[in-house]
C-alpha cells in the first residue's frame, strides 16, 4: 500500500494560479466543545491553518466547510453551529472570518484574500447521502475544491466525496497530503522492524486492522481489552476482564498468521488487576497466568513495560493506535504512560493516531517527540486496514490525465424538511 496519486494544493498555488479563484476547502473542524460552548481543544483548527494561509496569501477567495457533531439535516440547533470555530479562526488568522448560514446556492460574497466559514455542512439535506445534486449545486459556484479533512476521509458524504467529483478541479490540502504520505510510507516502505501497537476495548472493532497488520508487521503489540481476548485465546485466565469469547478463534488465527511469516504477537507477561474499575481501586501486579476469577485486568505490569520498551527501542518503524489499559484512571495509567514514553524515545520513525491515542499523547506530553500524529480516528484505522477511503478515491480519480468533473442533474433545491 503506497501513497495514492493525487493533485496537491501546492500544484495549484504555483505561478499565481490561485489568485482570484473561489476555493472551497473541506476542513475537519469537528472540535470538542466545553460546557460553556467554547472550544475545548483547537488542535484540528490549527492543523488546517497551513492550507488556509496558502490560499489567502495566494489571493484566493476562501470558503471553509466542515461538519460538527451529528445534527439533523435541515434543522441545525444552537449546539450545532460553527460560530465558536469562526471566532477561533479569526483569532488564529488575525482577520475576520464571517460565518455564512445559507450558503448552498452560493449567494454570498467573499473577496480575494478573504475567508468565510460556511455553517455546519451536515445541516444541508443530501450531505450524509452523498447527493450528487447537492454537489452539482455547490460546484457551480466554486473554482477549486480542496479536501484537507483526513479525519472525515472514510465517509462518503457530499462535501468529502461527491463534490470532489463534481468540482471544476479537485486536490488534497497540505494536511490531507501529509497524512497520506506518512501512512502510505509507513506501510509500503517501512524501516524494519515494523512494530504496530493496537490497543482498545474490543477485537471486533479492529479485527480487520489486526488481520491486515498480521500480514505486514514484524511485531504486533496487543493492548487493553484486545490483549485480554488474545490471552484468553491462548487459554490463559482473564477473570472478569473485558474480552470477547466469540472472537477467540479469530484472535488465534491472527497469531497463527503472524507465526507463519516469522513475525510475532506481543502480549504482556504481567498485568495490573483489581476487583473493580474505579479511580480509588487498588491495583495488584500479577503474572498473566495468575489472574484470579474475581478480578479484571486493567493495565500491564512493570516487567511488561520494560520488555515493550526494549521492543520499541529496536524498531525501525512504529505505528501506534490505542492504549494498553484504562489510562484515564490514575491507578491504571502507568502502562500507557510507559508506552507513550517508549514510542517517543525510540529512534524509530513513529506514527500515532486515533482518539484514545491522541488523548494519551496529550496527557503524557509526548506529542513533540512523535514523528507524525494523525488527525484521523476512523480514517486512520480504515487506512491501516487497507480500505480505500472514499474521499481519497475521489481525489485519485480527479488526478487521472483524462479526468472530467461529474455534473449529474439539474440544480439541487436544499429545501428544509417538511414539518
Amino acid at each position: 500500500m503506497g501513497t495514492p496519486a493525487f493533485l496537491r494544493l501546492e500544484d495549484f498555488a504555483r505561478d499565481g494560479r490561485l489568485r482570484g479563484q473561489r476555493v472551497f476547502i473541506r476542513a475537519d473542524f469537528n472540535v470538542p466543545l466545553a460546557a460553556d460552548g467554547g472550544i475545548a481543544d483547537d488542535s484540528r483548527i490549527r492543523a488546517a491553518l497551513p492550507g488556509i494561509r496558502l490560499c489567502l496569501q495566494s489571493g484566493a477567495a476562501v470558503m471553509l466547510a466542515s461538519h460538527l457533531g451529528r445534527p439533523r439535516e435541515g434543522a441545525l440547533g444552537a449546539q450545532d453551529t460553527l460560530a465558536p470555530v469562526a471566532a477561533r479562526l479569526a483569532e488564529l488568522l488575525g482577520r475576520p472570518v464571517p460565518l455564512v448560514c445559507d450558503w448552498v446556492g452560493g449567494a454570498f460574497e467573499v473577496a480575494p484574500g478573504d475567508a468565510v466559514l460556511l455553517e455546519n455542512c451536515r445541516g444541508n439535506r443530501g450531505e450524509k447521502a452523498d447527493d450528487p445534486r447537492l454537489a452539482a449545486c455547490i460546484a457551480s459556484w466554486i473554482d477549486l475544491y480542496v479536501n484537507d479533512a483526513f479525519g472525515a476521509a472514510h465517509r462518503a458524504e457530499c462535501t468529502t466525496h461527491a463534490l470532489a467529483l463534481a468540482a471544476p478541479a479537485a486536490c488534497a490540502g497540505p494536511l490531507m497530503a501529509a497524512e497520506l504520505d506518512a501512512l502510505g510510507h509507513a506501510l509500503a516502505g517501512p524501516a524494519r522492524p515494523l512494530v504496530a501497537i493496537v490497543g482498545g476495548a474490543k477485537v471486533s472493532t479492529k479485527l480487520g486492522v489486526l488481520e491486515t497488520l498480521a500480514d505486514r508487521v514484524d511485531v504486533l503489540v496487543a493492548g487493553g481489552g484486545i490483549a485480554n481476548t488474545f490471552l484468553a485465546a491462548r487459554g490463559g485466565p482473564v477473570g472478569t476482564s473485558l474480552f470477547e469469547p466469540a472472537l477467540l478463534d479469530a484472535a488465534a488465527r491472527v497469531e497463527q498468521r503472524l507465526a507463519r511469516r516469522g513475525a510475532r504477537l506481543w502480549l504482556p507477561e504481567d498485568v495490573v488487576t483489581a476487583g473493580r474499575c474505579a479511580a480509588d481501586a487498588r491495583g495488584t501486579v500479577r503474572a498473566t497466568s495468575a489472574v484470579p476469577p474475581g478480578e479484571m485486568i486493567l493495565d500491564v505490569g512493570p516487567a511488561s513495560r520494560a520488555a515493550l520498551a526494549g521492543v520499541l527501542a529496536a524498531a525501525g518503524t512504529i505505528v501506534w493506535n490505542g492504549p494498553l489499559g484504562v489510562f484515564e484512571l490514575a491507578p491504571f495509567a502507568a502502562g500507557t504512560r510507559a508506552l507513550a514514553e517508549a514510542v517517543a524515545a525510540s529512534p524509530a520513525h513513529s506514527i500515532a493516531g486515533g482518539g484514545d491515542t491522541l488523548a494519551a499523547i496529550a496527557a503524557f506530553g509526548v506529542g513533540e517527540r512523535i514523528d507524525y500524529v494523525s488527525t484521523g480516528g476512523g480514517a486512520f484505522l480504515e487506512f491501516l486496514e487497507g480500505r480505500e477511503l472514499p474521499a481519497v478515491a475521489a481525489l485519485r480519480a480527479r488526478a487521472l490525465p483524462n479526468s472530467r468533473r461529474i455534473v449529474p442533474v439539474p440544480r439541487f433545491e436544499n429545501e428544509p424538511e417538511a414539518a
Side-chain angles (χ1 to χ4, degrees), residues 21-22 29 32 36 57 103 142 148 150 153 156 174 179 205 291 295 316 351 356 374 387 416:
Q21 298 294 290
R22 292 171 66 88
F29 298 145
D36 62 359
Q57 292 163 4
W103 56 268
I142 68 175
D148 216 16
F150 179 76
E179 294 269 7
T205 60
V291 178
E295 295 191 5
I351 297 175
D356 288 341
S374 173
R387 296 190 192 182

Side-chain angles (χ1 to χ4, degrees), residues 32-252:
L33 299 177
D36 62 359
I39 295 172
D41 180 0
D42 67 358
S43 298
R44 288 179 174 174
I45 299 174
R46 291 178 178 275
L49 293 178
I52 298 170
R53 286 180 172 139
L54 176 59
C55 290
L56 291 173
Q57 292 163 4
S58 299
V62 179
M63 296 155 283
L64 303 166
S66 176
H67 72 285
L68 178 65
R70 298 178 179 176
R72 179 168 167 257
E73 289 188 359
L76 290 180
Q79 73 280 3
D80 304 316
T81 181
L82 285 169
V85 175
R88 187 65 182 129
L89 275 168
E91 293 175 359
L92 293 170
L93 292 171
R95 65 175 68 210
V97 181
L99 181 68
V100 179
C101 293
D102 298 318
W103 56 268
V104 168
F108 59 90
E109 295 295 328
V110 53
D114 288 340
V116 298
L117 177 62
L118 309 177
E119 185 58 285
N120 195 333
C121 62
R122 284 194 178 162
N124 297 328
R125 295 182 63 200
E127 171 66 18
K128 291 281 288 180
D130 198 24
D131 195 319
R133 298 170 299 166
L134 174 59
C137 179
I138 299 170
S140 68
W141 46 264
I142 68 175
D143 298 307
L144 174 64
Y145 167 87
V146 180
N147 193 326
D148 216 16
F150 179 76
H154 60 308
R155 303 189 185 280
E157 299 180 356
C158 179
T159 57
T160 61
H161 181 258
L163 183 55
L165 298 174
C171 67
L175 177 60
M176 172 72 84
E179 294 269 7
L180 296 176
D181 288 344
L183 295 176
H185 175 74
L187 296 182
R192 298 282 181 173
L194 170 57
V195 179
I197 304 145
V198 182
K202 295 182 178 181
V203 168
S204 56
T205 60
K206 297 184 178 179
L207 181 59
V209 174
L210 292 166
E211 290 175 336
T212 298
L213 292 176
D215 293 331
R216 297 176 181 273
V217 304
D218 300 297
V219 182
L220 178 60
V221 176
I226 290 174
N228 299 340
T229 299
F230 278 101
L231 289 168
R234 287 182 174 181
V238 294
T240 58
S241 306
L242 173 65
F243 81 108
E244 294 177 280
L247 289 176
L248 298 183
D249 288 343

